Amino acid sequence: MSGKPKLYYFDGRGKMESIRWLLAAAGVEFEEEFLETRDQYEKLLQGGSLMFQQVPMVEIDGMRMVQTRAILSYIAAKYNLYGKDLKERALIDTYIGGTDDLMGFIMIFPFLSAEDKEKQLAVIVQKATSRYFPVYEKVLKDHGQGFLVGNNFSWADVHLLEAILMVEEKKSDVLSGFPQLQAFKARISSIPTIKKFLEPGSQRKPVPDHKYVETVRRVLRMYYDVKAN
């Protein structure tokens, strides 16, 4: 294994995108191997690299790690983005859980039928503006700091910014009623490592397109339609 983490996934967002975000936020360079064929996937399976027969998979520090949450937790702890004590870590986990739930509504969107996409868009906006964003708006206002937890940049901040930008891609003015989140977005986006990741030419992936969807379906043999929430 090389010195840099190596990411095995599709050339698109999916569950690997949050891992890319966190590594980039930590200023860590990484390599990627994109799955484009079923044979590549079968080779990983036969080689025993995929513990639960699924990706993402990340080679890091002599390990082949699977399970997105485990990978993210390891990276956050390794690069001091996981709070200073157990209480802060519990808060970070709580906020991550919320943003994960919100992202879940968006992640399935490219795999839906045209009819279901219209319905799902309404669900995404409704959940963001009535369930999730009000929580983070209040946290930032009550906390009075520039970050969600303590007074230091953490995994929770990275994940929330990723979620905000994902929702804005569906509804550009979604933050119009959330001044704290508007300020948070501007503040976190200006952190040098984040700013670099947001620039053209970075390893950040674009909104999933038809090619990405077809590649995932072909490699994983998804011969069914995903159902909306």
Side-chain angles (χ1 to χ4, degrees):
M1 297 182 186
S2 70
K4 296 179 182 178
K6 187 171 183 179
L7 284 50
Y8 293 79
Y9 201 67
F10 307 99
D11 187 8
R13 291 185 183 177
K15 292 189 174 183
M16 185 65 87
E17 190 70 354
S18 291
I19 296 169
R20 298 182 185 107
W21 266 89
L22 194 57
L23 285 169
V28 179
E29 294 183 357
F30 56 89
E31 300 173 350
E32 299 189 75
E33 181 170 316
F34 298 126
L35 300 182
E36 298 175 344
T37 67
R38 179 71 185 185
D39 285 346
Q40 285 177 286
Y41 182 64
E42 294 282 0
K43 186 177 179 180
L44 288 175
L45 289 173
Q46 293 165 7
S49 296
L50 306 182
M51 184 182 294
F52 299 109
Q53 302 178 28
Q54 60 192 23
V55 287
M57 191 267 282
V58 174
E59 291 181 350
I60 185 171
D61 294 343
M63 301 181 290
R64 288 188 173 92
M65 294 192 70
V66 296
Q67 291 297 324
T68 308
R69 188 62 181 262
I71 297 167
L72 287 165
S73 296
Y74 181 82
I75 294 168
K78 177 179 174 68
Y79 295 104
N80 299 315
L81 295 169
Y82 212 171
K84 69 178 187 298
D85 54 34
L86 284 174
K87 288 185 177 180
E88 287 196 357
R89 182 167 294 192
L91 279 175
I92 289 169
D93 284 339
T94 301
Y95 299 150
I96 292 293
T99 43
D100 267 345
D101 290 345
L102 177 56
M103 287 179 181
F105 293 109
I106 304 170
M107 209 170 292
I108 68 166
F109 190 85
F111 297 90
L112 299 175
S113 67
E115 181 182 356
D116 281 342
K117 281 182 179 178
E118 186 176 349
K119 296 176 183 176
Q120 189 71 355
L121 178 58
V123 170
I124 291 167
V125 174
Q126 190 274 329
K127 296 290 187 185
T129 57
S130 68
R131 177 179 293 184
Y132 297 104
F133 287 173
V135 171
Y136 301 113
E137 180 80 4
K138 185 176 187 303
V139 167
L140 289 166
K141 184 176 181 180
D142 292 349
H143 183 41
Q145 299 289 337
F147 308 108
L148 284 172
V149 179
N151 57 1
N152 291 305
F153 180 50
S154 77
W155 173 21
D157 301 306
V158 180
H159 216 52
L160 178 55
L161 177 60
E162 182 187 1
I164 287 171
L165 296 181
M166 288 173 72
V167 179
E168 284 189 327
E169 287 169 346
K170 302 299 180 212
K171 190 176 190 299
S172 60
D173 64 347
V174 72
L175 290 186
S176 60
F178 301 98
Q180 294 290 334
L181 287 178
Q182 292 176 38
F184 172 87
K185 173 191 166 185
R187 188 165 54 249
I188 303 302
S189 295
S190 68
I191 291 172
T193 54
I194 297 291
K195 184 177 180 180
K196 182 179 179 181
F197 189 60
L198 292 174
E199 291 174 350
S202 80
Q203 288 169 287
R204 184 186 180 209
K205 306 307 175 196
V207 176
D209 59 12
H210 179 73
K211 181 181 178 182
Y212 167 76
V213 170
E214 289 306 309
T215 300
V216 173
R217 288 187 182 278
R218 182 177 65 253
V219 172
L220 300 183
R221 293 179 176 170
M222 292 173 58
Y223 304 127
Y224 56 88
D225 290 329
V226 174
K227 298 300 181 182
N229 288 278

